[in-house]
């Protein structure tokens, strides 16, 4: 009788712990999906094991649909070719940072900056990669606009140097 009571109490405690873990996991998932960063985990076989909502949406997938797909499948051949050398360095246990661009279905070019951190096992072998990226498309557009404005200003200065003396003569 006492053993049954202890067992019942232990089961209640296990249920409480499981509920607390579920709530904690849900909170963590909400946080990861809400931050303005693209976060993923890829196994050593180059297959996605996890992606937050921002990462999946960046590539045009639902969050649930990206898990189980390969990097090449998600990125497409052109963008994958850009990042493959960086992934090889990460595979060799090196933390890497890089930028890449890809073309969306509507023809727009988007840009991202990524950091890939290898996960190592106890023997120092790479077993997967943590990926954190940010969308830098607007930053790239601002830089391009600034360069264009500087070019136009330079042309205006040159024209001023040519036209003003011409008008004075």
């Amino acid at each position: 009788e006492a053993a049954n009571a202890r067992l019942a109490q232990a089961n209640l405690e296990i249920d409480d712990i499981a509920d607390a873990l579920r709530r904690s996991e849900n909170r963590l998932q909400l946080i990861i999906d809400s931050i303005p960063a693209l976060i993923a985990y890829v196994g050593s076989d180059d297959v996605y094991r996890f992606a937050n909502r921002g990462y999946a949406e960046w590539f045009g997938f639902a969050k649930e649909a990206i898990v189980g797909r390969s990097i090449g499948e998600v990125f497409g051949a052109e963008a994958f070719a850009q990042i493959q050398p960086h992934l090889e360095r990460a595979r060799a246990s090196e933390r890497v940072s890089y930028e890449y661009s890809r073309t969306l279905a509507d023809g727009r070019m988007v840009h991202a900056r990524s950091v890939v951190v290898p996960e190592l096992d106890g023997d120092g072998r790479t077993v997967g990669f943590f990926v954190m990226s940010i969308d830098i498309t607007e930053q790239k557009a601002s830089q391009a606009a600034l360069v264009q404005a500087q070019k136009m200003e330079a042309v205006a200065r040159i024209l001023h140097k040519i036209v003003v003396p011409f008008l004075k003569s």
Side-chain angles (χ1 to χ4, degrees):
E1 187 79 23
N4 285 341
R6 282 195 306 272
L7 184 58
Q9 181 61 35
N11 282 336
L12 285 175
E13 289 174 12
I14 289 171
D15 288 346
D16 288 346
I17 292 169
D19 286 344
L21 282 172
R22 267 191 296 281
R23 284 192 305 275
S24 178
E25 185 178 331
N26 289 340
R27 248 190 325 272
L28 183 58
Q29 190 66 54
L30 179 64
I31 292 166
I32 289 171
D33 279 341
S34 299
I35 61 174
L38 317 175
I39 300 171
Y41 179 80
V42 180
S44 60
D45 56 358
D46 287 356
V47 172
Y48 285 92
R49 303 287 193 261
F50 170 84
N52 74 342
R53 184 174 52 235
Y55 192 98
E57 289 174 355
W58 167 260
F59 290 100
F61 289 95
K63 193 171 98 167
E64 302 75 30
I66 204 167
V67 172
R69 294 179 188 265
S70 70
I71 297 172
E73 183 182 356
V74 169
F75 269 74
E78 189 178 322
F80 184 64
Q82 290 178 60
I83 69 160
Q84 197 164 15
H86 304 292
L87 294 178
E88 290 308 317
R89 288 176 37 219
R91 211 177 304 290
S93 304
E94 185 181 337
R95 177 186 175 129
V96 293
S97 299
Y98 55 89
E99 292 181 8
Y100 67 93
S101 58
R102 65 186 200 85
T103 306
L104 300 179
D106 64 6
R108 285 185 306 125
M109 181 75 72
V110 291
H111 305 272
R113 180 175 299 126
S114 296
V115 176
V116 177
V117 179
E119 179 187 20
L120 307 178
D121 67 10
D123 296 325
R125 287 186 300 251
T126 302
V127 295
F129 310 98
F130 295 98
V131 181
M132 201 284 292
S133 304
I134 55 170
D135 183 339
I136 59 169
T137 304
E138 287 183 24
Q139 179 184 346
K140 289 282 190 185
S142 297
Q143 289 171 343
L146 177 61
V147 167
Q148 185 63 29
Q150 290 170 334
K151 286 179 183 176
M152 291 177 69
E153 185 180 323
V155 167
R157 277 196 305 269
I158 292 168
L159 284 174
H160 186 267
K161 286 181 180 179
I162 295 171
V163 172
V164 169
F166 177 75
L167 293 175
K168 288 183 177 177
S169 56

